[in-house]
Amino acid sequence: MKMEKDVTLLAIESSCDETACAVVRNGREILSNVVASQIDVHTLYGGVVPEVASRIHVENISVVISEALKQAGISVSDVDGIAFTQGPGLIGSLHVGVLAAKTLALAYHKPLIPVQHLTGHIYANAFVGELKFPLLALVVSGGHTELVLMKEDYDFNVIGTTNDDAVGEAYDKVGRVLNLPYPGGPKIDKLAKEGKPVYRLPKPKTENELDFSFSGLKSAVMQYINRLERNGEQLNVADMCASFQETALGALWERVELALQRYEVRQLVLAGGVAANSRLREIVVEKMRKHPQVKYIIPPLSCCTDNAAMIGASGYVAYNKGIRAGYDIAADASLEMPGTE
Ligand code: KG4
Ligand code: ZN
């Protein structure tokens, strides 16, 4: 039997408001996964303040890296490479992780593996089971909403994207309208369980049937609330959460169904922070009964929101494909997925 050599990567992620470092073996085994969240600070401002985010990354990055190495019980000299998020994200935040990765790579003579953040979200599914191609990924985060068709490993083809706001962004904006603390997504998810989708909101429409749009839905929620106020009617926040959520997730699922009809895929995977949504997870289980020929994976909750283990998972595939960065590599705030034309 051929024994493959283990590949252990140190992975760094700092694209938004989490400073994260992980040690991942063979893209599947998480030896450590440390995340320092800044949510408490940004909650004070009702959203992520980019300058504040970069400053906190600078304060946290060394501690997070040391902790990840300590928990994994190894030193940088033991790893086979340093994977890091090159983009997309907040440029100041990205810089911190990129610089840390370059410094370690240079000091310890390790290869540098650049990773596109969304590919990390997709490959987080590899912690649950083997990815099977052709694969359809529904990437739903605070910054992105994309349907990605992967004919093979590490080949990303965006077949649907948002024309305006990302779905997570819509959750957070509606959360703000409803006076819920940042980030609104998890709070709306929780409150929606106590409410009923009784408020009728318009279904988002797009020219390209596989594209998404969420800014109109957010405005419709605002208009609905204003109308209730004008009429002296009481708003039931839980009902509004349920109404918004059902409409937003309904729009997501319609596109997934359409893509499943158009493309013959072997697997569907969820990816990104909104994949943590309990109702979306329920919808996937329920609706996929109609597609028994398509396997599906829902990533574990700990791997949905930003973390570095997922960067290690994607970085492992990139490493095996010989993808390397030079020491002159820079962060790229609008980096696209590899394979995207
Ligand atoms: O992937 P992520 O951690 O960061 C980005 O790459 O954007 O996603 C963060 C987004 C936020 O908009 C947050 O509100 C949303 O994911 N989110 C949720 C839930 N948990 C996080 N949205 C809906 N329901 C949830 N349970
Ligand atoms: Zn993310």
Side-chain angles (χ1 to χ4, degrees), residues 18 117 121 140-143 168-169 171-172 183-186 189 245 272-274 276-278 304-306:
E18 330 276 353
H117 180 82
H121 277 301
V140 280
S141 74
E169 189 181 352
Y171 264 94
D172 297 340
D189 184 4
Q245 176 156 282
V274 183
N277 184 275
S278 61
C304 288
T305 43
D306 289 348

PDB file of all heavy atoms in Angstrom, residues 18 117 121 140-143 168-169 171-172 183-186 189 245 272-274 276-278 304-306, ligand 1:
ATOM      1  N   GLU A  18     -12.619  38.525  12.396  1.00  0.00           N
ATOM      2  CA  GLU A  18     -12.135  37.430  13.230  1.00  0.00           C
ATOM      3  C   GLU A  18     -10.647  37.272  12.929  1.00  0.00           C
ATOM      4  O   GLU A  18     -10.264  37.178  11.769  1.00  0.00           O
ATOM      5  CB  GLU A  18     -12.794  36.075  12.898  1.00  0.00           C
ATOM      6  CG  GLU A  18     -14.205  36.122  12.375  1.00  0.00           C
ATOM      7  CD  GLU A  18     -15.234  36.201  13.478  1.00  0.00           C
ATOM      8  OE1 GLU A  18     -14.845  36.084  14.646  1.00  0.00           O
ATOM      9  OE2 GLU A  18     -16.417  36.399  13.165  1.00  0.00           O
ATOM     10  N   HIS A 117     -10.702  33.473   0.186  1.00  0.00           N
ATOM     11  CA  HIS A 117     -11.556  33.247   1.361  1.00  0.00           C
ATOM     12  C   HIS A 117     -12.779  32.345   1.093  1.00  0.00           C
ATOM     13  O   HIS A 117     -13.061  31.422   1.867  1.00  0.00           O
ATOM     14  CB  HIS A 117     -12.005  34.622   1.878  1.00  0.00           C
ATOM     15  CG  HIS A 117     -12.881  34.578   3.073  1.00  0.00           C
ATOM     16  ND1 HIS A 117     -12.395  34.439   4.354  1.00  0.00           N
ATOM     17  CD2 HIS A 117     -14.232  34.647   3.193  1.00  0.00           C
ATOM     18  CE1 HIS A 117     -13.401  34.434   5.202  1.00  0.00           C
ATOM     19  NE2 HIS A 117     -14.535  34.557   4.532  1.00  0.00           N
ATOM     20  N   HIS A 121     -14.502  28.691   2.669  1.00  0.00           N
ATOM     21  CA  HIS A 121     -15.852  28.359   3.131  1.00  0.00           C
ATOM     22  C   HIS A 121     -16.334  27.073   2.458  1.00  0.00           C
ATOM     23  O   HIS A 121     -16.948  26.218   3.091  1.00  0.00           O
ATOM     24  CB  HIS A 121     -16.826  29.498   2.813  1.00  0.00           C
ATOM     25  CG  HIS A 121     -16.798  30.608   3.832  1.00  0.00           C
ATOM     26  ND1 HIS A 121     -17.066  30.396   5.158  1.00  0.00           N
ATOM     27  CD2 HIS A 121     -16.544  31.941   3.714  1.00  0.00           C
ATOM     28  CE1 HIS A 121     -16.987  31.548   5.822  1.00  0.00           C
ATOM     29  NE2 HIS A 121     -16.660  32.509   4.967  1.00  0.00           N
ATOM     30  N   VAL A 140     -23.012  31.586   1.155  1.00  0.00           N
ATOM     31  CA  VAL A 140     -23.842  32.646   1.725  1.00  0.00           C
ATOM     32  C   VAL A 140     -23.148  33.237   2.946  1.00  0.00           C
ATOM     33  O   VAL A 140     -23.083  32.613   3.992  1.00  0.00           O
ATOM     34  CB  VAL A 140     -25.247  32.105   2.083  1.00  0.00           C
ATOM     35  CG1 VAL A 140     -26.132  32.036   0.850  1.00  0.00           C
ATOM     36  CG2 VAL A 140     -25.193  30.719   2.732  1.00  0.00           C
ATOM     37  N   SER A 141     -22.609  34.446   2.773  1.00  0.00           N
ATOM     38  CA  SER A 141     -21.888  35.048   3.902  1.00  0.00           C
ATOM     39  C   SER A 141     -22.289  36.503   4.052  1.00  0.00           C
ATOM     40  O   SER A 141     -23.253  36.971   3.432  1.00  0.00           O
ATOM     41  CB  SER A 141     -20.386  34.906   3.683  1.00  0.00           C
ATOM     42  OG  SER A 141     -19.964  35.802   2.689  1.00  0.00           O
ATOM     43  N   GLY A 142     -21.530  37.220   4.876  1.00  0.00           N
ATOM     44  CA  GLY A 142     -21.833  38.626   5.092  1.00  0.00           C
ATOM     45  C   GLY A 142     -21.457  39.474   3.887  1.00  0.00           C
ATOM     46  O   GLY A 142     -22.017  40.545   3.661  1.00  0.00           O
ATOM     47  N   GLY A 143     -20.514  38.988   3.088  1.00  0.00           N
ATOM     48  CA  GLY A 143     -20.046  39.774   1.947  1.00  0.00           C
ATOM     49  C   GLY A 143     -20.414  39.169   0.603  1.00  0.00           C
ATOM     50  O   GLY A 143     -20.273  39.819  -0.431  1.00  0.00           O
ATOM     51  N   GLY A 168     -26.194  37.763   4.020  1.00  0.00           N
ATOM     52  CA  GLY A 168     -25.814  38.038   5.416  1.00  0.00           C
ATOM     53  C   GLY A 168     -25.899  39.529   5.724  1.00  0.00           C
ATOM     54  O   GLY A 168     -26.302  39.936   6.815  1.00  0.00           O
ATOM     55  N   GLU A 169     -25.523  40.320   4.719  1.00  0.00           N
ATOM     56  CA  GLU A 169     -25.591  41.783   4.858  1.00  0.00           C
ATOM     57  C   GLU A 169     -27.058  42.197   5.052  1.00  0.00           C
ATOM     58  O   GLU A 169     -27.365  43.056   5.885  1.00  0.00           O
ATOM     59  CB  GLU A 169     -25.038  42.374   3.558  1.00  0.00           C
ATOM     60  CG  GLU A 169     -24.805  43.836   3.529  1.00  0.00           C
ATOM     61  CD  GLU A 169     -24.268  44.255   2.139  1.00  0.00           C
ATOM     62  OE1 GLU A 169     -23.943  43.381   1.293  1.00  0.00           O
ATOM     63  OE2 GLU A 169     -24.191  45.473   1.917  1.00  0.00           O
ATOM     64  N   TYR A 171     -29.452  40.334   6.326  1.00  0.00           N
ATOM     65  CA  TYR A 171     -29.818  39.937   7.695  1.00  0.00           C
ATOM     66  C   TYR A 171     -29.348  41.014   8.674  1.00  0.00           C
ATOM     67  O   TYR A 171     -30.078  41.426   9.574  1.00  0.00           O
ATOM     68  CB  TYR A 171     -29.144  38.600   8.063  1.00  0.00           C
ATOM     69  CG  TYR A 171     -30.009  37.382   7.871  1.00  0.00           C
ATOM     70  CD1 TYR A 171     -29.965  36.652   6.693  1.00  0.00           C
ATOM     71  CD2 TYR A 171     -30.876  36.944   8.872  1.00  0.00           C
ATOM     72  CE1 TYR A 171     -30.745  35.519   6.514  1.00  0.00           C
ATOM     73  CE2 TYR A 171     -31.654  35.809   8.706  1.00  0.00           C
ATOM     74  CZ  TYR A 171     -31.582  35.103   7.526  1.00  0.00           C
ATOM     75  OH  TYR A 171     -32.363  33.973   7.366  1.00  0.00           O
ATOM     76  N   ASP A 172     -28.095  41.443   8.512  1.00  0.00           N
ATOM     77  CA  ASP A 172     -27.531  42.407   9.466  1.00  0.00           C
ATOM     78  C   ASP A 172     -28.227  43.768   9.359  1.00  0.00           C
ATOM     79  O   ASP A 172     -28.459  44.437  10.362  1.00  0.00           O
ATOM     80  CB  ASP A 172     -26.018  42.541   9.255  1.00  0.00           C
ATOM     81  CG  ASP A 172     -25.289  41.228   9.525  1.00  0.00           C
ATOM     82  OD1 ASP A 172     -25.871  40.367  10.223  1.00  0.00           O
ATOM     83  OD2 ASP A 172     -24.159  41.047   9.045  1.00  0.00           O
ATOM     84  N   PRO A 183     -24.056  41.087  15.139  1.00  0.00           N
ATOM     85  CA  PRO A 183     -24.653  40.907  13.811  1.00  0.00           C
ATOM     86  C   PRO A 183     -26.095  40.380  13.917  1.00  0.00           C
ATOM     87  O   PRO A 183     -26.375  39.490  14.716  1.00  0.00           O
ATOM     88  CB  PRO A 183     -23.728  39.865  13.179  1.00  0.00           C
ATOM     89  CG  PRO A 183     -23.170  39.073  14.321  1.00  0.00           C
ATOM     90  CD  PRO A 183     -23.193  39.957  15.543  1.00  0.00           C
ATOM     91  N   GLY A 184     -26.933  40.923  13.079  1.00  0.00           N
ATOM     92  CA  GLY A 184     -28.364  40.597  13.135  1.00  0.00           C
ATOM     93  C   GLY A 184     -28.685  39.150  12.772  1.00  0.00           C
ATOM     94  O   GLY A 184     -29.675  38.599  13.264  1.00  0.00           O
ATOM     95  N   GLY A 185     -27.843  38.536  11.901  1.00  0.00           N
ATOM     96  CA  GLY A 185     -28.147  37.191  11.393  1.00  0.00           C
ATOM     97  C   GLY A 185     -28.559  36.186  12.464  1.00  0.00           C
ATOM     98  O   GLY A 185     -29.689  35.676  12.447  1.00  0.00           O
ATOM     99  N   PRO A 186     -27.651  35.902  13.424  1.00  0.00           N
ATOM    100  CA  PRO A 186     -27.999  34.892  14.436  1.00  0.00           C
ATOM    101  C   PRO A 186     -29.212  35.288  15.279  1.00  0.00           C
ATOM    102  O   PRO A 186     -29.999  34.419  15.676  1.00  0.00           O
ATOM    103  CB  PRO A 186     -26.742  34.821  15.315  1.00  0.00           C
ATOM    104  CG  PRO A 186     -25.649  35.471  14.532  1.00  0.00           C
ATOM    105  CD  PRO A 186     -26.274  36.394  13.548  1.00  0.00           C
ATOM    106  N   ASP A 189     -32.376  34.659  13.263  1.00  0.00           N
ATOM    107  CA  ASP A 189     -32.541  33.203  13.220  1.00  0.00           C
ATOM    108  C   ASP A 189     -33.280  32.741  14.474  1.00  0.00           C
ATOM    109  O   ASP A 189     -34.264  31.987  14.408  1.00  0.00           O
ATOM    110  CB  ASP A 189     -31.138  32.575  13.135  1.00  0.00           C
ATOM    111  CG  ASP A 189     -31.152  31.063  12.986  1.00  0.00           C
ATOM    112  OD1 ASP A 189     -32.249  30.491  12.861  1.00  0.00           O
ATOM    113  OD2 ASP A 189     -30.062  30.462  12.999  1.00  0.00           O
ATOM    114  N   GLN A 245     -37.049  36.164   7.006  1.00  0.00           N
ATOM    115  CA  GLN A 245     -36.240  34.951   6.833  1.00  0.00           C
ATOM    116  C   GLN A 245     -36.844  34.002   5.796  1.00  0.00           C
ATOM    117  O   GLN A 245     -36.127  33.484   4.939  1.00  0.00           O
ATOM    118  CB  GLN A 245     -36.086  34.248   8.180  1.00  0.00           C
ATOM    119  CG  GLN A 245     -35.358  32.942   8.081  1.00  0.00           C
ATOM    120  CD  GLN A 245     -34.699  32.546   9.379  1.00  0.00           C
ATOM    121  OE1 GLN A 245     -33.644  33.048   9.737  1.00  0.00           O
ATOM    122  NE2 GLN A 245     -35.322  31.634  10.083  1.00  0.00           N
ATOM    123  N   GLY A 272     -20.278  29.378   4.220  1.00  0.00           N
ATOM    124  CA  GLY A 272     -20.364  30.771   4.673  1.00  0.00           C
ATOM    125  C   GLY A 272     -21.177  30.931   5.943  1.00  0.00           C
ATOM    126  O   GLY A 272     -21.889  30.012   6.365  1.00  0.00           O
ATOM    127  N   GLY A 273     -21.059  32.109   6.532  1.00  0.00           N
ATOM    128  CA  GLY A 273     -21.680  32.383   7.831  1.00  0.00           C
ATOM    129  C   GLY A 273     -23.168  32.089   7.889  1.00  0.00           C
ATOM    130  O   GLY A 273     -23.665  31.573   8.892  1.00  0.00           O
ATOM    131  N   VAL A 274     -23.898  32.384   6.814  1.00  0.00           N
ATOM    132  CA  VAL A 274     -25.350  32.187   6.829  1.00  0.00           C
ATOM    133  C   VAL A 274     -25.699  30.685   6.788  1.00  0.00           C
ATOM    134  O   VAL A 274     -26.825  30.291   7.113  1.00  0.00           O
ATOM    135  CB  VAL A 274     -26.028  32.996   5.689  1.00  0.00           C
ATOM    136  CG1 VAL A 274     -27.544  32.857   5.724  1.00  0.00           C
ATOM    137  CG2 VAL A 274     -25.654  34.475   5.781  1.00  0.00           C
ATOM    138  N   ALA A 276     -24.856  28.809   8.879  1.00  0.00           N
ATOM    139  CA  ALA A 276     -25.121  28.479  10.288  1.00  0.00           C
ATOM    140  C   ALA A 276     -26.609  28.633  10.606  1.00  0.00           C
ATOM    141  O   ALA A 276     -27.069  28.215  11.666  1.00  0.00           O
ATOM    142  CB  ALA A 276     -24.307  29.402  11.198  1.00  0.00           C
ATOM    143  N   ASN A 277     -27.367  29.227   9.689  1.00  0.00           N
ATOM    144  CA  ASN A 277     -28.789  29.500   9.949  1.00  0.00           C
ATOM    145  C   ASN A 277     -29.585  28.198  10.109  1.00  0.00           C
ATOM    146  O   ASN A 277     -29.573  27.338   9.218  1.00  0.00           O
ATOM    147  CB  ASN A 277     -29.359  30.350   8.801  1.00  0.00           C
ATOM    148  CG  ASN A 277     -30.789  30.741   9.064  1.00  0.00           C
ATOM    149  OD1 ASN A 277     -31.708  29.981   8.775  1.00  0.00           O
ATOM    150  ND2 ASN A 277     -30.986  31.910   9.638  1.00  0.00           N
ATOM    151  N   SER A 278     -30.299  28.092  11.224  1.00  0.00           N
ATOM    152  CA  SER A 278     -30.976  26.824  11.528  1.00  0.00           C
ATOM    153  C   SER A 278     -32.099  26.534  10.528  1.00  0.00           C
ATOM    154  O   SER A 278     -32.319  25.389  10.152  1.00  0.00           O
ATOM    155  CB  SER A 278     -31.517  26.841  12.953  1.00  0.00           C
ATOM    156  OG  SER A 278     -32.447  27.883  13.092  1.00  0.00           O
ATOM    157  N   CYS A 304     -18.751  27.295   9.892  1.00  0.00           N
ATOM    158  CA  CYS A 304     -19.561  28.134   8.994  1.00  0.00           C
ATOM    159  C   CYS A 304     -19.050  29.569   8.990  1.00  0.00           C
ATOM    160  O   CYS A 304     -18.734  30.126   7.948  1.00  0.00           O
ATOM    161  CB  CYS A 304     -21.023  28.117   9.420  1.00  0.00           C
ATOM    162  SG  CYS A 304     -21.840  26.563   9.066  1.00  0.00           S
ATOM    163  N   THR A 305     -18.971  30.165  10.180  1.00  0.00           N
ATOM    164  CA  THR A 305     -18.484  31.551  10.234  1.00  0.00           C
ATOM    165  C   THR A 305     -16.961  31.522  10.113  1.00  0.00           C
ATOM    166  O   THR A 305     -16.342  30.462  10.203  1.00  0.00           O
ATOM    167  CB  THR A 305     -18.944  32.245  11.535  1.00  0.00           C
ATOM    168  OG1 THR A 305     -18.774  31.342  12.605  1.00  0.00           O
ATOM    169  CG2 THR A 305     -20.406  32.648  11.450  1.00  0.00           C
ATOM    170  N   ASP A 306     -16.383  32.719   9.905  1.00  0.00           N
ATOM    171  CA  ASP A 306     -14.968  32.785   9.555  1.00  0.00           C
ATOM    172  C   ASP A 306     -14.058  32.072  10.565  1.00  0.00           C
ATOM    173  O   ASP A 306     -14.174  32.259  11.768  1.00  0.00           O
ATOM    174  CB  ASP A 306     -14.551  34.252   9.412  1.00  0.00           C
ATOM    175  CG  ASP A 306     -15.166  34.868   8.168  1.00  0.00           C
ATOM    176  OD1 ASP A 306     -15.703  34.105   7.337  1.00  0.00           O
ATOM    177  OD2 ASP A 306     -15.092  36.097   8.027  1.00  0.00           O
TER     178      ASP A 306
HETATM  179  O1  KG4 B   1     -18.735  34.021   6.609  1.00  0.00           O
HETATM  180  P1  KG4 B   1     -18.865  35.062   7.643  1.00  0.00           P
HETATM  181  O2  KG4 B   1     -18.421  34.747   9.062  1.00  0.00           O
HETATM  182  O3  KG4 B   1     -18.114  36.357   7.236  1.00  0.00           O
HETATM  183  C1  KG4 B   1     -18.011  36.762   5.908  1.00  0.00           C
HETATM  184  O4  KG4 B   1     -17.149  36.197   5.186  1.00  0.00           O
HETATM  185  O5  KG4 B   1     -18.842  37.613   5.550  1.00  0.00           O
HETATM  186  O6  KG4 B   1     -20.398  35.489   7.646  1.00  0.00           O
HETATM  187  C2  KG4 B   1     -20.898  36.451   8.517  1.00  0.00           C
HETATM  188  C3  KG4 B   1     -22.368  36.638   8.208  1.00  0.00           C
HETATM  189  C4  KG4 B   1     -23.004  37.803   8.957  1.00  0.00           C
HETATM  190  O7  KG4 B   1     -23.742  38.572   8.053  1.00  0.00           O
HETATM  191  C5  KG4 B   1     -23.917  37.097   9.964  1.00  0.00           C
HETATM  192  O8  KG4 B   1     -25.050  37.856  10.327  1.00  0.00           O
HETATM  193  C6  KG4 B   1     -24.300  35.862   9.206  1.00  0.00           C
HETATM  194  O9  KG4 B   1     -23.117  35.454   8.562  1.00  0.00           O
HETATM  195  N1  KG4 B   1     -24.787  34.806  10.093  1.00  0.00           N
HETATM  196  C7  KG4 B   1     -26.065  34.361  10.091  1.00  0.00           C
HETATM  197  C8  KG4 B   1     -26.157  33.384  11.112  1.00  0.00           C
HETATM  198  N2  KG4 B   1     -24.919  33.270  11.694  1.00  0.00           N
HETATM  199  C9  KG4 B   1     -24.092  34.152  11.061  1.00  0.00           C
HETATM  200  N3  KG4 B   1     -27.108  34.696   9.318  1.00  0.00           N
HETATM  201  C10 KG4 B   1     -28.280  34.068   9.543  1.00  0.00           C
HETATM  202  N4  KG4 B   1     -28.443  33.138  10.501  1.00  0.00           N
HETATM  203  C11 KG4 B   1     -27.426  32.749  11.298  1.00  0.00           C
HETATM  204  N5  KG4 B   1     -27.597  31.827  12.240  1.00  0.00           N
END
